[in-house]
Amino acid sequence: MAIEYLRLSLTDRCNLNCLYCTPQEKASFLKHEDLLRHEELARAAAAFARCGVKKIRLTGGEPLLRKNITGLVKMLKAVPGLKELAMTTNGVLLAPLAAELRAAGLDRVNVSLNSLNPAAYKRITGSDSLEAAWDGLMAALKAGFSEVKLNMVVMKGINDAEVPEFARLSMDFPVSVRFIEFFQTSARTAQLRDAYLSSAETRKRVEAAYGLLLQVPPGSTDGPAHVYQRRGAKGRLGFISGRSDYFCGACNRVRMDCTGRVYPCLFSPATHTLKDLLRAGTPEEALDDHIKKIFLVKSEYKRNSPTAGHIEMSDLGG
Ligand code: SF4
């Protein structure tokens, strides 16, 4: 499978503390000098693009915490060969930035929102910022992005009762609501071991509320989601089954964290780093050769377990 997709984490910091991620409980955060600078991120992106990457998704932590994020978006959008620049954000800081990010060249936005109920939102994220996140989503829908998606991690006994309400949003707004299966990623989230609810069960709940959903062929931007639509709905529904139906065969992505460490697979311990090469001013050809070796490692790696070892989601952005 050609590697055409880079998920690029811009920071390990976040303004939330979601139950399934808990970045605020990490031993420490990266120091400023550990982070790749904007021009280093742009040089890395250009190298990935020379090696076949066509789409970059900006993640975190919370990417909007990165200083001068609009300037960085402009730099990345100018990378030759890059077709698409997207972002996954928790939406809390998005409302005042949506229009300028769009103007800077950001094509698509995914907003991670796990509850529409202020008390449940606070329980899940540790924050009172549901209104700001909702305003961020609404601003994204107004800003003219080519697509806006809403990601909900479905957790049994925590927010699964809200599944019909979330599905309703895809009928009232031109948004793709995606239900993501929860899977444990670190010992810190052990209290969630019983929170797993399969996509099949989630879909049953939507159909119980709204009737049979029509399966639609996944578009080029749907990734691993199984996509459905309700007749007359403005938006669509997606089900992402990272646990019950993992999609390694179709995986076309690698990840790089904000220090330049490259992860061929979310589940593979193996990392490679570009930071020293970038800071040593390594010529483009040598940088590209290094990246091609990483792609080779990926093509040989086989995931052998439905759950993860220890992954710092806030370092990699999932
Ligand atoms: S899941 Fe995302 S928004 Fe939530 S704490 Fe982790 S990085 Fe922040």
Side-chain angles (χ1 to χ4, degrees):
M1 184 76 184
I3 309 300
E4 298 185 337
Y5 178 17
L6 170 68
R7 293 177 68 95
L8 177 57
S9 167
L10 300 181
T11 176
D12 67 331
R13 292 171 188 264
C14 189
N15 47 359
L16 298 182
N17 195 36
C18 299
L19 287 175
Y20 52 85
C21 180
T22 62
Q24 312 312 339
E25 288 149 38
K26 282 195 299 194
S28 63
F29 288 106
L30 293 162
K31 295 193 285 305
H32 181 69
E33 58 273 21
D34 296 327
L35 272 61
L36 292 184
R37 297 186 289 272
H38 283 194
E39 64 279 357
E40 290 169 333
L41 288 166
R43 276 181 47 223
F48 278 104
R50 288 191 300 271
C51 298
V53 164
K54 303 215 174 355
K55 168 182 155 183
I56 292 181
R57 175 171 295 281
L58 304 177
T59 68
E62 172 48 42
L64 296 179
L65 287 175
R66 186 85 196 220
K67 288 205 177 55
N68 188 14
I69 181 71
T70 306
L72 178 57
V73 164
K74 241 184 227 144
M75 284 172 87
L76 294 173
K77 188 62 184 175
V79 165
L82 197 64
K83 297 263 181 305
E84 202 177 56
L85 188 60
M87 179 184 284
T88 297
T89 165
N90 61 36
V92 173
L93 302 171
L94 184 56
L97 287 169
E100 66 179 77
L101 288 168
R102 179 69 192 114
L106 192 66
D107 299 297
R108 294 187 301 114
V109 167
N110 290 19
V111 175
S112 304
L113 188 62
N114 295 307
S115 179
L116 300 168
N117 167 299
Y121 182 92
K122 172 135 191 176
R123 179 182 172 210
I124 295 169
T125 65
S127 156
D128 282 320
S129 46
L130 172 58
E131 200 180 326
W134 178 260
D135 292 349
L137 176 66
M138 292 301 114
L141 288 169
K142 285 198 199 90
F145 291 106
S146 61
E147 191 173 19
V148 176
K149 295 181 179 167
L150 193 166
N151 290 352
M152 178 198 190
V153 176
V154 182
M155 294 170 279
K156 198 162 53 183
I158 295 172
N159 62 0
D160 58 314
E162 296 186 58
V163 163
E165 208 180 335
F166 271 80
R168 171 97 242 160
L169 295 177
S170 77
M171 296 161 202
D172 301 340
F173 297 97
V175 64
S176 290
V177 176
R178 290 135 44 99
F179 299 107
I180 301 175
E181 281 182 352
F182 163 75
F183 60 81
Q184 197 183 334
T185 56
S186 88
R188 285 203 312 270
T189 59
Q191 87 274 19
L192 293 175
R193 72 174 64 79
D194 302 326
Y196 168 68
L197 188 78
S198 72
S199 289
E201 179 54 33
T202 303
R203 201 177 101 223
K204 256 196 231 139
R205 301 206 183 168
V206 176
E207 292 186 330
Y210 301 110
L212 207 59
L213 296 172
L214 305 171
Q215 184 149 20
V216 292
S220 63
T221 63
D222 285 316
H226 295 280
V227 183
Y228 295 79
Q229 187 157 26
R230 188 152 184 272
R231 208 181 294 286
K234 291 186 181 148
R236 301 181 308 159
L237 294 166
F239 297 86
I240 298 179
S241 315
R243 176 150 169 183
S244 65
D245 174 19
Y246 50 96
F247 29 82
C248 299
C251 183
N252 65 347
R253 67 192 63 186
V254 292
R255 292 168 174 84
M256 186 171 89
D257 71 16
C258 57
T259 70
R261 270 185 309 201
V262 183
Y263 298 72
C265 164
L266 192 55
F267 296 83
S268 76
T271 62
H272 312 258
T273 180
L274 297 186
K275 183 157 74 176
D276 302 343
L277 296 172
L278 290 164
R279 295 200 167 163
T282 304
E284 293 185 352
E285 218 175 304
L287 204 52
D288 299 1
D289 288 347
H290 191 75
I291 289 173
K292 286 173 188 155
K293 284 196 193 99
I294 298 171
F295 289 1
L296 205 56
V297 169
K298 174 169 176 85
S299 63
E300 288 155 3
Y301 180 78
K302 289 283 168 285
R303 172 180 167 186
N304 50 23
S305 133
T307 56
H310 180 82
I311 301 174
E312 274 304 344
M313 292 301 264
S314 59
D315 287 0
L316 283 178

Coordinates of all heavy atoms in Angstrom, one line a residue, residues 8-10 36-46 66 72 76 79 256-258 278:
L8 N 0.7 14.5 11.4 CA 1.8 15.3 12.0 C 1.3 15.9 13.3 O 0.5 16.8 13.2 CB 2.2 16.3 10.9 CG 3.3 17.3 11.3 CD1 4.5 16.5 11.7 CD2 3.6 18.2 10.2
S9 N 1.9 15.5 14.4 CA 1.6 16.1 15.7 C 2.4 17.3 15.9 O 3.6 17.3 15.7 CB 1.8 15.1 16.8 OG 1.8 15.7 18.0
L10 N 1.8 18.5 16.2 CA 2.5 19.7 16.3 C 2.9 20.0 17.8 O 3.7 20.9 18.0 CB 1.6 20.9 15.8 CG 1.1 20.8 14.4 CD1 0.3 22.0 14.0 CD2 2.4 20.7 13.4
L36 N 10.3 20.5 16.9 CA 10.7 21.0 15.6 C 10.2 22.4 15.3 O 9.0 22.6 15.6 CB 10.3 20.0 14.4 CG 10.9 18.6 14.4 CD1 10.3 17.9 13.2 CD2 12.4 18.6 14.4
R37 N 11.0 23.2 14.8 CA 10.6 24.6 14.4 C 9.7 24.6 13.2 O 9.8 23.6 12.4 CB 11.8 25.5 14.3 CG 12.7 25.6 15.6 CD 13.8 26.7 15.4 NE 14.8 26.2 14.5 CZ 15.9 25.5 14.9 NH1 16.0 25.1 16.2 NH2 16.8 25.1 14.0
H38 N 9.0 25.6 12.9 CA 8.1 25.7 11.8 C 8.9 25.3 10.5 O 8.4 24.5 9.7 CB 7.5 27.1 11.6 CG 6.4 27.3 12.6 ND1 5.5 28.3 12.5 CD2 6.0 26.6 13.7 CE1 4.6 28.3 13.5 NE2 4.9 27.2 14.2
E39 N 10.0 25.9 10.3 CA 10.7 25.6 9.0 C 11.2 24.2 8.9 O 11.3 23.6 7.9 CB 11.8 26.6 8.7 CG 13.0 26.6 9.6 CD 12.7 27.4 10.9 OE1 11.6 28.0 11.0 OE2 13.6 27.5 11.8
E40 N 11.5 23.6 10.1 CA 11.9 22.2 10.1 C 10.7 21.3 9.8 O 10.8 20.3 9.0 CB 12.5 21.8 11.4 CG 13.9 22.5 11.7 CD 14.3 22.3 13.1 OE1 13.5 22.2 14.1 OE2 15.6 22.3 13.4
L41 N 9.5 21.7 10.3 CA 8.3 20.9 10.0 C 8.0 21.0 8.5 O 7.7 20.0 7.9 CB 7.2 21.5 10.8 CG 7.2 21.2 12.3 CD1 6.1 22.0 13.0 CD2 6.9 19.7 12.6
A42 N 8.2 22.2 7.9 CA 8.0 22.4 6.5 C 9.0 21.6 5.7 O 8.6 20.9 4.7 CB 8.1 23.9 6.2
R43 N 10.3 21.5 6.1 CA 11.2 20.7 5.3 C 10.9 19.3 5.4 O 11.1 18.5 4.5 CB 12.7 21.0 5.9 CG 13.3 22.3 5.2 CD 14.6 22.6 5.7 NE 15.5 21.5 5.7 CZ 16.4 21.2 6.7 NH1 16.4 22.0 7.7 NH2 17.2 20.2 6.6
A44 N 10.5 18.8 6.6 CA 10.1 17.4 6.8 C 8.9 17.1 5.9 O 8.9 16.1 5.2 CB 9.8 17.1 8.2
A45 N 7.9 18.0 5.9 CA 6.7 17.8 5.1 C 7.1 17.7 3.6 O 6.6 16.9 2.9 CB 5.7 18.9 5.3
A46 N 8.0 18.6 3.2 CA 8.4 18.6 1.8 C 9.1 17.2 1.4 O 8.9 16.7 0.3 CB 9.4 19.7 1.5
R66 N -0.3 25.5 19.2 CA 1.0 25.8 18.6 C 1.0 27.3 18.2 O 0.0 27.8 17.5 CB 1.2 24.9 17.4 CG 2.6 25.0 16.7 CD 3.6 24.1 17.4 NE 4.9 24.6 17.0 CZ 5.9 23.8 16.7 NH1 5.8 22.5 16.8 NH2 7.1 24.2 16.3
L72 N 2.1 28.6 10.1 CA 2.5 27.3 9.8 C 1.7 26.6 8.7 O 2.2 25.9 7.8 CB 2.5 26.4 11.1 CG 3.0 25.0 10.9 CD1 4.4 24.8 10.3 CD2 2.9 24.2 12.3
L76 N 2.9 25.0 5.2 CA 2.7 23.6 4.8 C 1.9 23.5 3.5 O 2.1 22.7 2.7 CB 2.1 22.9 6.0 CG 2.9 22.7 7.2 CD1 2.1 22.1 8.4 CD2 4.1 21.8 7.0
V79 N 3.8 23.5 0.3 CA 4.7 22.3 0.0 C 4.4 21.7 -1.3 O 3.3 21.3 -1.5 CB 4.7 21.3 1.2 CG1 5.3 20.0 0.7 CG2 5.3 21.8 2.4
M256 N 4.2 11.3 12.5 CA 5.5 12.0 13.0 C 5.1 12.9 14.2 O 4.1 13.6 14.1 CB 6.2 12.8 12.0 CG 7.5 13.3 12.5 SD 8.6 14.1 11.2 CE 8.0 15.8 11.3
D257 N 5.8 12.7 15.3 CA 5.5 13.6 16.4 C 6.2 14.9 16.3 O 7.0 15.1 15.4 CB 5.7 12.9 17.8 CG 7.2 12.7 18.1 OD1 8.0 13.4 17.5 OD2 7.4 11.9 19.0
C258 N 6.0 15.8 17.2 CA 6.5 17.2 17.1 C 8.0 17.3 17.3 O 8.6 18.3 17.2 CB 5.7 18.1 18.0 SG 5.8 17.6 19.7
L278 N 17.5 16.8 10.1 CA 17.0 18.2 9.7 C 17.9 19.2 10.3 O 18.3 20.2 9.6 CB 15.6 18.4 10.2 CG 14.5 17.5 9.6 CD1 13.2 17.5 10.4 CD2 14.2 18.1 8.2

